[in-house]
Each structure stands twice: as structure tokens, then as C-alpha cells.
């Protein structure tokens, strides 16, 4: 049977197929792992620009070496004493657990670490594919299942966050967002599904702030379902409120030290986020549980209006600083010479002008999925699923327009409307011998793969500028284990290098670095910026002041090139030209990395 509400119709629950979905998700993840095996598991020794995965492993190692659970200081990066990272121990814990378990079984810590590098991304890929299949069935029916598996595997492969050694929290955020969506889309609309969605949203905040817009969108959707839906939607809202507030409290106690309970941090989970979760969660659970608050439509509307007003007043009066641009207080020099140059932080407008191929590869399938979802949501036969998916996909695309990293989640969520589209096209082609139906089905398949658009954009770019590829020599960015092997043989030292080398140096050597691509490492990054862009005598003074033992240069790293171009008279540009000041001593160079010892006075 199908229930109809003011918010659209809701399909009846499908037959239980959880084991089958889990099996297909496992097999699909194995296929992704096989593709990585075919390429030689390159990410195990060189993650390229994935500094966060490298530093996550360093953070987990520090935890296992005895650093405190609440102590998130990265002591080997930045000036003496380091700086406090904004990441969550909730991601460190399972990785550390895998390392400890396998190390205990094998008797070798290295084996435990290697197991974690494989198992953690693989398990998250399985969870993602499983949730994609569950949500695809709720959204597009059985006809969408095969397309969801195929397109889902293609999307997870394209976004690259599930490859071996990718330990950053973005893959965790994808899983949690899909879990929250699965709870909201649950066809049976049980309170347990709402509980799952609420817990997932609370954990999304605790893990990282990138998904805050999604948390807000899901909370708004649950509130609208509560207002305009039926009794089952009120059960979902009750479960969501309990899960959001309860998990928010547990995450707060588990990740914030008691001495920090009153400190507001907008870039990491703190009292600001816990207070919102507690108020919003408790208010929604209470409104959905007390009869007088939800008996009629006007009362439900009033209850949610008052709750929204209370949350707005709380944030506006107690935590107004968290409503501003998170990078507004960043030093202008770091903004212009670092943040504005980070590709994953670029807005859509800049990418259109500078990297149109990236726009085609990353934005087309989410935009196509949004068009399909919105078309269904505004149609006469709209369902609650159509509205939910359209709103959430629009939210992630809006984030992606602000910073390209937001498209990762949009690409994954777009699998739902795309798989439903392919499912309909397959059904039409199966019942019709029309060449037009077959052509539309083929087009739907091809258009739903990001790789199709990526390859097409690369082909067009090469056709327009055939010399560009031939003229671009392949150079190393010095981010891999082989490039940094020489550093690993040196006694522990303090190194001065561009920020892109910070995490790789910490991952593959025992040294300390001043710079690293993290917004809280302001002091260390400014030292590197002033030293490399300033005159050589200023660089010498900074090196002496911060006890720098070696200056590390990688001409093939893009950050090196940008710094050199920014000031041709600076130290970095001089070193690239081979002009070495007297206070530096070249200590030999490899194929990619150059090392200069700071001479003692």
C-alpha cells in the first residue's frame, strides 16, 4: 500500500533484502580493490596531494605511541610546541583499533598498520555501496538496483577517497550522510530509522564541519515531514530528535576534554555544536511525543517555528562568531599565497575560468541528477523521496559551488536519481524494440559516469591545444615514500619546506616541519612564507630563529612553482635557479628533492 500526505506519497516497505545488498556491496568494493591492485596499489607509497590522509596516519601513530586521547596537538609541525589540530578522535579510534588488533594477532606493528591502510577504506567503501543500494531501492525501486551498483562503483572510484591508505575523514562523512539519508528515506518510516538519521547527523558534526549544510538540510527536511506528514513521519521525527541530541551529547563528552567544555571552536566540535544538537534534538523529540504539540497542522507548524526560533536565538546570541566565513580571520598573506591556491577549495567561478575540464568532470553528473530529482519533486506524482533527494543534492551542489571539495558528496548522492533514470530507460528498452529507446538507454548509462565527462573534457582540451600535453613534462611533487627516502636516513631535524611537503615528511620520516596546509598552523606557515618569498638575509634570520637544520626544495611541486613566480627575487626562486646563498650548504640531490643544510655561524 501507499500512504499519501501533504508532503507527497510514501511507498510501502520493500521485502527484506539486506543480506543481498550487503553481498553486492562487498563484491563491488572488491572490484574497486582489484582495480587498485591492477595499478599496483600506488596510493600505499604515494598519495599525491592527499595531505590529510598522510597526517591522519601520523595522528593515529601518535595516539598509539601514548599521546593523550584529548591531546590533538601536532608537535612535529609548526613552531616549537606545535599546534592543536581540529580533527576528531572518532575517526582515529577505529583505525587505531584495526592496527592494535592485527598487530596483536601478527606480532608485528608494521603488519597492523598495513592492514589498517587496506581495511579501513575498504570497509567504508562496503558501507557506502550498501547504503547506496538501500537508498536507491527506496528512491527508484528494484529497477534502480543494478544501475545503482554500477554507477555507485564508478562514483566511488572517481572521487578516490576509498582507495587504500585514504584515512582522511571525507570517506567517513560520505558514509554518515548516506546513513542519514537512508533513515529519512526508510519506506516503513519507523522511529528506528529516524534514530539512525539523528545519530548520523550528530556524528557528521563531530567528525568535521564540512557537512554542516547537509546536517541543516536533513534537520529541516525532518521538520517539514513532521509538519506536513502523518503519524509515521512523527515517529521518524521523534527518533531523529532523540538520536541527534543523544549522540551529540555522547560525542561531546567523548571528544572534548572537561577543561574545554566552555570553549567555543567553530572549526571543530565544541559547546556551540553540542548546544544546537541538544536543543534541536530535545525540542523535536518533545514536539513529536506530546500530543497537544502535534495533534493538528497549525500546532505542528507553531512547534517547529518556535523550535527554529529558539535555535536561531541560541546561535545568534551565544555563538555569533560561527555564522561568519570560517576563513575570514585567516592572515591575508596566507589567504592569497595558500588558501586561494588550494584547488579543492576553489569556487566554481574560478574553476570555470581556469580549469573548465574539472568543472565538466565533477559538476555535470550532480547537476544532471539534480535536474532529474527536481523534475520528479515538482511533478504531479511527487513523493517524499523525490523532495528529500532534491533538497539534499541541491545543498551539496551549493557547497560544491563554494568549494569544489563539496562535489565529492554531490557526485555520490547523484547516483540515486541517475540510477532511477537508467532503471526507467532499461524498462522502456526491454519492452520496446524502438532504436530510440535503446539509444536513450545507452545515453543514460554513459551520461551517468563521471569518467565519461572527464575523458570527454580531456579529449576536447587536447584537441583545442594539442601541444599542451606534449609540452608538460612529468615531474615529481615529492610526496611519495621513494622521493623522501633520503630524509628518512637523516637524524631527527627541523625542516623548512613548502606546506605541501609537511604531511609527507611527517609520514615518511622522523623530522619536524614548520609548514603544513592547515589553517590552524598560522605561525609555521607564515615563517615558511616569509622565508621563501623574502630576501635571503631575512630567510637566514628566520632559519636561525626557529632552529632550522635543513631547507628542503622540490622544484616539481606546484606550490614551489607558485612561490617562485610570486617573487623571482626571493630565496625559493634563487634556489631553483641554482643560486645558493653562502649560509646554505647543498648536501646532494636526488631525482626530485634537493636538500640544503643551514651552516652554523
Amino acid at each position: 500500500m501507499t500512504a499519501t500526505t501533504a508532503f507527497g506519497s510514501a511507498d510501502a516497505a520493500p521485502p527484506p533484502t539486506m543480506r543481498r545488498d550487503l553481498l553486492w556491496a562487498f563484491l563491488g568494493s572488491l572490484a574497486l580493490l582489484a582495480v587498485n591492485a591492477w595499478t599496483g596499489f600506488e596510493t600505499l607509497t604515494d598519495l599525491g596531494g592527499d595531505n590529510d590522509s598522510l597526517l591522519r596516519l601520523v595522528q593515529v601513530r601518535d595516539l598509539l605511541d601514548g599521546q593523550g586521547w584529548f591531546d590533538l596537538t601536532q608537535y612535529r609541525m609548526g613552531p616549537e610546541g606545535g599546534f592543536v589540530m581540529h580533527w576528531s578522535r572518532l575517526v582515529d579510534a577505529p583505525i587505531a583499533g584495526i592496527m592494535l588488533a592485527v598487530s596483536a594477532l601478527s606480532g608485528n606493528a608494521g603488519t597492523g598498520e598495513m592492514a589498517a591502510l587496506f581495511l579501513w577504506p575498504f570497509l567504508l567503501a562496503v558501507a557506502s555501496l550498501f547504503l547506496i543500494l538501500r537508498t536507491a531501492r527506496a528512491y527508484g525501486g528494484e529497477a534502480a538496483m543494478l544501475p545503482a551498483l554500477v554507477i555507485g562503483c564508478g562514483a566511488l572510484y572517481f572521487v578516490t577517497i576509498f582507495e587504500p591508505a585514504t584515512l582522511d575523514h571525507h570517506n567517513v562523512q560520505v558514509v554518515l550522510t548516506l546513513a542519514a539519508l537512508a533513515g529519512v528515506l526508510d519506506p516503513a518510516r519507523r522511529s528506528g530509522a529516524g534514530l539512525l538519521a539523528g545519530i548520523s547527523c550528530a556524528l557528521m558534526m563531530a567528525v568535521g564541519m564540512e557537512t554542516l549544510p547537509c546536517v541543516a538540510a536533513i534537520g529541516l527536511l525532518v521538520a517539514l515531514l513532521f509538519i506536513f506528514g502523518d503519524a509515521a513521519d512523527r515517529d521518524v521525527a521523534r527518533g531523529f530528535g532523540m538520536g541527534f541530541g543523544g549522540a551529540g551529547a555522547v560525542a561531546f563528552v567523548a571528544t572534548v576534554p572537561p577543561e574545554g567544555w566552555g570553549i567555543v571552536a567553530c572549526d571543530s566540535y565544541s559547546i556551540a555544536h553540542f548546544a544546537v544538537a541538544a536543543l534541536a534534538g530535545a525540542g523535536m523529540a518533545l514536539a513529536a511525543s506530546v500530543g497537544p504539540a502535534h495533534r493538528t497542522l497549525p500546532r505542528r507548524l507553531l512547534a517547529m517555528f518556535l523550535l527554529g526560533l529558539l535555535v536561531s536565538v541560541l546561535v545568534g546570541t551565544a555563538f555569533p562568531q560561527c555564522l561568519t566565513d570560517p576563513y575570514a580571520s585567516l592572515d591575508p598573506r596566507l589567504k592569497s599565497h595558500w588558501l586561494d591556491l588550494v584547488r579543492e577549495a576553489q569556487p566554481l567561478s574560478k574553476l570555470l575560468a581556469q580549469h573548465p575540464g574539472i568543472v565538466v568532470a565533477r559538476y555535470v553528473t550532480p547537476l544532471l541528477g539534480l535536474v532529474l530529482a527536481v523534475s520528479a519533486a515538482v511533478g504531479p506524482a511527487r513523493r517524499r523521496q523525490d523532495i528529500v533527494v532534491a533538497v539534499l543534492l541541491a545543498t551539496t551542489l551549493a557547497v560544491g559551488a563554494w568549494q569544489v571539495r563539496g562535489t565529492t558528496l554531490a557526485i555520490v548522492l547523484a547516483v540515486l536519481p541517475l540510477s532511477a533514470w537508467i532503471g526507467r530507460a532499461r524498462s522502456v528498452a526491454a519492452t520496446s524494440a524502438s532504436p530510440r529507446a535503446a539509444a536513450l538507454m545507452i545515453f543514460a548509462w554513459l551520461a551517468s559516469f563521471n569518467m565519461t565527462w572527464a575523458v570527454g573534457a580531456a579529449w576536447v582540451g587536447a584537441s583545442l591545444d594539442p601541444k599542451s600535453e606534449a609540452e608538460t613534462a612529468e615531474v615529481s611533487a615529492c610526496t611519495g615514500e621513494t622521493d623522501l627516502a633520503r630524509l628518512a636516513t637523516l637524524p631527527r631535524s627541523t625542516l623548512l619546506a613548502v606546506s605541501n611537503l609537511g604531511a609527507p615528511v611527517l609520514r615518511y620520516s622522523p623530522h619536524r616541519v614548520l609548514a603544513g596546509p592547515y589553517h590552524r598552523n598560522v605561525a609555521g606557515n607564515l615563517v615558511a612564507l616569509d622565508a621563501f618569498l623574502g630576501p635571503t638575509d631575512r630567510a637566514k634570520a628566520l632559519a636561525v630563529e626557529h632552529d632550522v637544520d635543513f631547507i628542503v626544495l622540490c622544484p616539481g611541486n606546484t606550490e614551489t612553482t607558485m612561490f617562485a613566480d610570486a617573487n623571482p627575487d626571493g630565496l625559493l626562486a634563487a634556489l631553483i635557479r641554482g643560486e645558493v646563498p653562502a649560509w646554505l650548504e647543498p648536501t646532494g640531490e636526488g631525482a626530485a628533492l634537493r636538500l640544503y643544510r643551514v651552516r652554523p655561524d
Side-chain angles (χ1 to χ4, degrees), residues 1 19 55-56 112 134 144 213 236 243 271 310 353 386 407 416 450 455 469 477 504 516 571:
M1 295 181 63
R19 290 183 180 178
L55 196 64
R56 174 72 66 181
R134 302 298 290 179
V236 172
I271 183 63
L310 286 174
D386 300 318
T407 58
L416 304 185
N450 291 86
V455 171
E469 186 173 348
L571 172 65

Side-chain angles (χ1 to χ4, degrees), residues 11 56 59 103 122 144 153 176 213 227-228 233 271 330 338 354 430 440 446 494 505 515 519 574:
D11 295 338
R56 174 72 66 181
Q59 185 165 291
S103 297
F122 176 77
C153 285
L176 292 172
I227 295 170
F228 298 106
D233 288 312
I271 183 63
L330 190 66
W338 169 60
Q354 299 179 358
L440 287 175
L446 291 176
T494 298
V505 168
H519 67 275

Side-chain angles (χ1 to χ4, degrees), residues 479-490:
T479 56
E481 183 176 10
T482 302
D483 292 327
L484 301 174
R486 172 170 164 73
L487 292 180
T489 64
L490 299 175

Side-chain angles (χ1 to χ4, degrees), residues 271-598:
I271 183 63
H273 311 93
F274 164 60
V276 170
L279 176 59
M284 183 169 290
L286 184 64
S289 302
V290 178
H294 64 70
R295 191 163 294 143
T296 63
L297 174 61
R299 290 185 180 184
R300 295 194 296 271
L301 187 60
L302 177 62
M304 290 298 100
F305 171 77
L306 291 176
L307 179 59
L309 182 62
L310 286 174
V311 172
S312 299
V313 170
L314 171 66
V315 175
T317 56
F319 318 114
Q321 64 269 45
C322 294
L323 296 175
T324 61
D325 183 346
Y327 299 114
S329 61
L330 190 66
D331 187 284
R333 290 172 294 170
L334 292 180
K335 191 174 186 303
S336 60
H337 290 292
W338 169 60
L339 184 63
D340 289 346
L341 303 176
V342 177
R343 181 168 293 184
E344 68 171 14
Q346 299 303 305
L348 176 59
S349 57
K350 184 175 288 188
L351 287 175
L352 282 169
Q354 299 179 358
H355 305 285
I358 294 178
V359 174
V360 173
R362 297 194 68 91
Y363 288 85
V364 171
T365 56
L367 185 60
L368 180 57
L370 180 62
V371 170
L372 294 169
V374 170
S375 298
V378 301
R382 69 177 180 273
R383 307 163 303 157
R384 64 196 296 276
Q385 295 97 313
D386 300 318
I387 299 172
V388 168
V389 171
V391 169
L392 197 54
L393 189 50
T395 301
T396 57
L397 256 179
V399 175
W402 174 53
Q403 288 190 343
V404 66
R405 74 180 79 187
T407 58
T408 295
L409 193 50
I411 288 169
V412 176
L413 292 177
V415 171
L416 304 185
L418 292 173
S419 60
W421 178 40
I422 296 172
R424 293 191 298 269
R426 290 179 69 232
S427 298
V428 172
T431 57
S432 171
S434 167
R436 181 175 179 272
L440 287 175
M441 180 191 67
I442 294 173
F443 174 75
W445 273 110
L446 291 176
S448 298
F449 281 104
N450 291 86
M451 291 302 299
T452 301
W453 300 101
V455 171
W459 181 79
V460 171
S463 300
L464 295 176
D465 188 9
K467 295 183 180 180
S468 60
E469 186 173 348
E471 292 177 350
T472 302
E474 184 174 346
V475 293
S476 173
C478 307
T479 56
E481 183 176 10
T482 302
D483 292 327
L484 301 174
R486 172 170 164 73
L487 292 180
T489 64
L490 299 175
R492 183 170 179 173
S493 307
T494 298
L495 309 182
L496 177 62
V498 294
S499 66
N500 277 344
L501 298 185
V505 168
L506 265 58
R507 162 67 173 88
Y508 295 114
S509 78
H511 307 300
R512 185 171 73 88
V513 294
L514 288 172
Y518 304 101
H519 67 275
R520 286 192 175 186
N521 184 28
V522 174
N525 289 334
L526 284 177
V527 169
L529 188 67
D530 291 341
F532 286 137
L533 292 185
T536 57
D537 56 344
R538 172 60 174 159
K540 178 183 179 181
L542 288 170
V544 172
E545 177 184 352
H546 294 278
D547 297 320
V548 173
D549 299 298
F550 292 95
I551 289 180
V552 181
L553 173 67
C554 179
N557 194 284
T558 54
E559 189 177 6
T560 301
T561 303
M562 290 185 290
F563 275 15
D565 292 341
N567 185 11
D569 297 324
L571 172 65
L572 201 62
L575 291 177
I576 290 177
R577 293 192 299 267
E579 301 170 5
V580 182
W583 56 276
L584 289 179
E585 175 189 358
T587 61
E589 61 182 68
L593 200 68
R594 301 180 190 176
L595 196 60
Y596 303 88
R597 186 189 305 274
V598 178

Side-chain angles (χ1 to χ4, degrees), residues 1-91:
M1 295 181 63
T2 300
T4 303
T5 69
F7 204 77
S9 63
D11 295 338
T17 53
M18 186 172 294
R19 290 183 180 178
R20 188 184 69 182
D21 292 346
L22 187 57
L23 174 61
W24 281 115
F26 181 79
L27 294 176
S29 300
L30 280 181
L32 294 177
L33 196 61
V35 172
N36 279 285
W38 182 61
T39 59
F41 292 122
E42 294 177 351
T43 54
L44 289 177
T45 56
D46 190 351
L47 273 165
D50 191 358
N51 294 293
D52 291 352
S53 288
L54 294 169
L55 196 64
R56 174 72 66 181
L57 179 58
V58 173
Q59 185 165 291
V60 174
R61 285 175 174 175
D62 293 341
L63 176 65
L64 293 177
D65 286 341
Q67 188 165 326
W69 173 263
F70 293 114
D71 184 5
L72 293 176
T73 305
Q74 185 44 250
Y75 292 99
R76 291 200 292 137
M77 184 176 286
E80 189 67 35
F83 69 101
V84 180
M85 284 294 293
H86 59 290
W87 291 347
S88 174
R89 285 291 193 204
L90 295 180
V91 180

